[in-house]
Amino acid sequence: MAAPGSRAATARPQVAAANSEVATARPQPATAASALLSVQGVCVRFGGIVALDDVSFDVRGGDICGLIGPNGAGKTTLFNCMSRLYQYQSGDIVLEGRSLTGVATHDVAGLGLGRTFQNLAMFQRMTVTDNVMVGAHARSSAGFIGSALRLAAVGAEERRLRDRAREIIDYLDLAPFANRLAGDLPFGTQKRVELARALAAEPRLLMLDEPAAGLNHGELNALSALIGDIRDRWAITVLLVEHHMGLVMGLCDHIVALNFGRKIAEGPPRLVQNDPAVIEAYLGVEARV
């Protein structure tokens, strides 16, 4: 993935090595007062399987927050709850003071929540431009009748949305592929198309589900710089699910760790990466101080 062209964006410094004393980052109570996103005691069960068990944490506006944990920890399940693809049995998810409980799936993007998926989810037989326009239309106020009658105001808004789509396409170095079918592009390029679609919706919170999957070392460095630049350039808060610990620890301001559906640690990267519960969750052995 290419780094942003118009401004030199650099990844945040890698976290310093831990000192001899092992720091811990025990689960902390969430405080919703200043949070852009507040997850409050969310529980999800699929029959007898507990996918999320009383999970609570906040994401402050302007932060890049990492959500980590082994496979099956509940990370993508939580993303699906936030996207309203899954219903939670108890608790609440609050975005900018508004509860997402009861919000229809098709209304989520309009509330300022954008997302990419662990498995690519785009229109394979549509062009790159048209895929990005799908995201831009989340901010359209044109109704069915106005669009059908091709009213002047609708035409003006369509031009504005297309200009927005072109801006995102240029930003992510997708212009050479703008008229290509998305499904014909390499995997790494398709991931940029999906990111472009999410950005075109002008989200306040951008949820990235394993964006580094399948990328090589050079692409990882560019991805880190790009995520930081997206946050700084457009004041977008980022919630990141990722298994690549080098990327997470070097980029995130705050980290929440899950295991078996429960929050086991939360705090700055240096504390979380040395927390005994996190080490045990990943290595399967009890951490020794």
Side-chain angles (χ1 to χ4, degrees):
M1 183 179 295
S6 59
R7 188 178 79 174
T10 57
R12 299 199 162 190
Q14 293 294 321
V15 180
N19 56 26
S20 57
E21 181 180 358
V22 177
T24 60
R26 288 305 170 199
Q28 305 164 1
T31 55
S34 61
L36 178 78
L37 173 75
S38 183
V39 178
Q40 303 171 358
V42 170
C43 297
V44 175
R45 291 175 175 81
F46 300 108
I49 303 295
V50 179
L52 293 173
D53 187 5
D54 194 28
V55 173
S56 297
F57 64 90
D58 288 347
V59 179
R60 296 184 306 177
D63 272 3
I64 298 175
C65 179
L67 186 61
I68 66 171
N71 289 330
K75 306 180 298 296
T76 297
T77 296
L78 181 57
F79 263 31
N80 287 337
C81 289
M82 294 169 60
S83 304
R84 307 307 301 126
L85 298 174
Y86 290 172
Q87 184 60 268
Y88 35 90
Q89 280 72 49
S90 61
D92 201 2
I93 299 174
V94 179
L95 179 66
E96 293 191 300
R98 174 169 178 171
S99 171
L100 297 183
T101 304
V103 172
T105 305
H106 59 267
D107 289 330
V108 169
L111 296 179
L113 195 154
R115 179 186 177 175
T116 65
F117 289 81
Q118 183 176 346
N119 298 313
L120 289 172
M122 67 178 73
F123 298 98
Q124 300 285 324
R125 307 313 298 170
M126 287 171 55
T127 67
V128 168
T129 297
D130 287 341
N131 267 279
V132 179
M133 284 292 291
V134 170
H137 275 112
R139 291 296 181 182
S140 174
S141 59
F144 174 79
I145 295 177
S147 298
L149 296 176
R150 297 182 178 273
L151 299 179
V154 174
E157 183 171 79
E158 185 72 11
R159 288 189 293 273
R160 180 186 67 80
L161 296 178
R162 190 164 293 275
D163 288 344
R164 171 64 175 168
R166 288 196 190 101
E167 178 187 8
I168 300 296
I169 287 171
D170 289 341
Y171 174 69
L172 294 177
D173 296 328
L174 289 169
F177 314 104
N179 297 317
R180 295 270 304 275
L181 295 180
D184 293 343
L185 299 175
F187 179 76
T189 306
Q190 289 189 38
K191 289 181 77 72
R192 275 189 281 153
V193 174
E194 189 176 44
L195 176 58
R197 183 184 61 194
L199 289 176
E202 302 178 15
R204 295 274 293 129
L205 175 67
L206 178 63
M207 300 159 51
L208 302 177
D209 196 348
E210 298 192 24
L215 302 184
N216 60 38
H217 182 72
E219 290 171 331
L220 280 172
N221 290 335
L223 174 65
S224 179
L226 176 63
I227 294 172
D229 191 68
I230 286 171
R231 185 267 301 274
D232 297 338
R233 181 183 297 260
W234 284 308
I236 295 175
T237 303
V238 179
L239 181 59
L240 172 72
V241 165
E242 186 51 67
H243 287 291
H244 194 286
M245 289 298 101
L247 176 68
V248 172
M249 296 300 168
L251 180 64
C252 293
D253 304 294
H254 190 81
I255 294 176
V256 177
L258 302 179
N259 193 30
F260 293 114
R262 293 184 177 182
K263 185 176 75 172
I264 58 172
E266 179 179 6
R270 184 183 64 83
L271 295 182
V272 172
Q273 71 177 342
N274 292 296
D275 188 278
V278 175
I279 296 172
E280 183 176 357
Y282 276 97
L283 301 182
V285 295
E286 185 176 355
R288 296 179 180 178
V289 179

